[in-house]
Amino acid sequence: MAESQLADVFVEMADTLVDDFDVLEFLHVLTERCVELLGISAAGLLLTDQQDTLQVVAASSERTRLLELFQLQTDQGPCVDCFRTGQPVSVVDLAAAGRWPRFTAAAAEVGFAAVHALPMRLRSEVIGALNLFDTHPGALDEGKLRIGQALADVATIGLLQQRAVHRREILTEQLQTALNSRVLIEQAKGVLAERLHVDVGEAFALLRDGARSHNRRLSELSQAIVDGSEQLAPGAVVKQPG
């Protein structure tokens, strides 16, 4: 990869880390940049909530999000192990490894053959895991793994940065708000998919485009879509008369 491309991504992420930044948008950008920079097929991100329970908060594709949810529901898989140990977990060939049989079967069903899970950790505190998936067996070279870990570290620092000036409850509230917003976004995706006769992946792309083009938060637009005060058509946000 070009050094300028790598530098541009880190500058983009640093520029995003301003006061009151949109956590969900930041984390979705992180998963997308991982795919672009590392030459992998998909990326997902898990964070803990107020009860120290892992939750899916971002994924580069719908199939990845569903696989991450399955992993949490069955409480087995490389990403769960990564979070619990605080150490990277790399499986270059899931089928040959013979670990996590239910996760391996689910991963194969959606086309993934290898996974690399990286901890979101600052010293002894682990708040989640960044998960890199590929459709072909094989190792991810050390340079790319270091870049992936660096991206995870930037995200971790961004989420924890307010600890210096606020108490831990502020961080917990921020993470919980992101998780609550995730529920709204999933509901809005379903509404749009049904209304516009598109799949949920396309519905999410339309939702993000609408939020970006009108300089709004994903959660705010999602709430409006769910409660029916606004409609979303390709390229436009339309307010309902009222």
Side-chain angles (χ1 to χ4, degrees):
M1 71 190 72
E3 289 185 7
S4 59
Q5 182 187 17
L6 180 59
D8 286 346
V9 169
F10 278 100
V11 169
E12 175 189 21
M13 294 185 69
D15 285 346
T16 305
L17 296 174
V18 296
D19 290 341
D20 198 32
F21 67 96
D22 189 331
V23 175
L24 283 176
E25 177 63 17
F26 172 73
L27 296 177
H28 276 291
V29 169
L30 171 65
T31 61
E32 291 172 347
R33 297 299 177 264
C34 283
V35 172
E36 295 168 7
L37 282 175
L38 306 180
I40 55 174
S41 301
L45 198 148
L46 310 177
L47 286 179
T48 53
D49 62 14
Q50 288 178 319
Q51 287 76 42
D52 290 328
T53 302
L54 278 177
Q55 303 280 354
V56 181
V57 294
S60 62
S61 68
E62 183 66 15
R63 63 174 178 167
T64 310
R65 186 185 72 83
L66 295 175
L67 179 60
E68 296 278 44
L69 283 173
F70 179 81
Q71 182 174 193
L72 295 182
Q73 290 166 357
T74 57
D75 196 33
Q76 69 161 230
C79 312
V80 173
D81 286 2
C82 174
F83 170 72
R84 288 174 174 164
T85 64
Q87 298 299 319
V89 176
S90 286
V91 185
V92 300
D93 189 338
L94 280 166
R99 301 166 67 183
W100 319 293
R102 296 178 67 185
F103 170 80
T104 298
E109 188 174 335
V110 294
F112 293 134
V115 62
H116 310 276
L118 304 172
M120 295 186 67
R121 181 187 63 216
L122 182 63
R123 292 183 284 276
S124 62
E125 183 171 10
V126 183
I127 64 170
L130 173 63
N131 312 305
L132 314 175
F133 298 92
D134 214 339
T135 55
H136 301 287
L140 198 61
D141 70 58
E142 286 300 316
K144 289 184 177 181
L145 283 174
R146 285 197 299 270
I147 291 170
Q149 187 62 67
L151 291 169
D153 291 344
V154 168
T156 303
I157 292 168
L159 292 169
L160 295 172
Q161 66 175 347
Q162 292 186 334
R163 286 189 66 185
V165 291
H166 296 289
R167 301 180 65 178
R168 181 176 174 82
E169 286 77 11
I170 300 300
L171 170 65
T172 303
E173 181 181 348
Q174 183 185 52
L175 293 179
Q176 191 63 45
T177 297
L179 295 171
N180 293 341
S181 297
R182 179 77 256 172
V183 174
L184 271 178
I185 290 169
E186 293 305 317
Q187 291 173 339
K189 283 163 57 178
V191 170
L192 290 174
E194 181 178 4
R195 181 183 298 158
L196 302 178
H197 306 292
V198 297
D199 64 38
V200 288
E202 292 172 303
F204 182 57
L206 288 170
L207 190 64
R208 284 185 71 191
D209 288 346
R212 283 177 167 177
S213 62
H214 292 81
N215 196 28
R216 299 175 66 183
R217 289 179 177 271
L218 276 170
S219 55
E220 178 191 347
L221 180 55
S222 296
Q223 179 66 68
I225 297 296
V226 170
D227 65 26
S229 61
E230 296 183 26
Q231 297 184 65
L232 186 62
V237 176
V238 181
K239 289 186 179 293
Q240 293 285 77

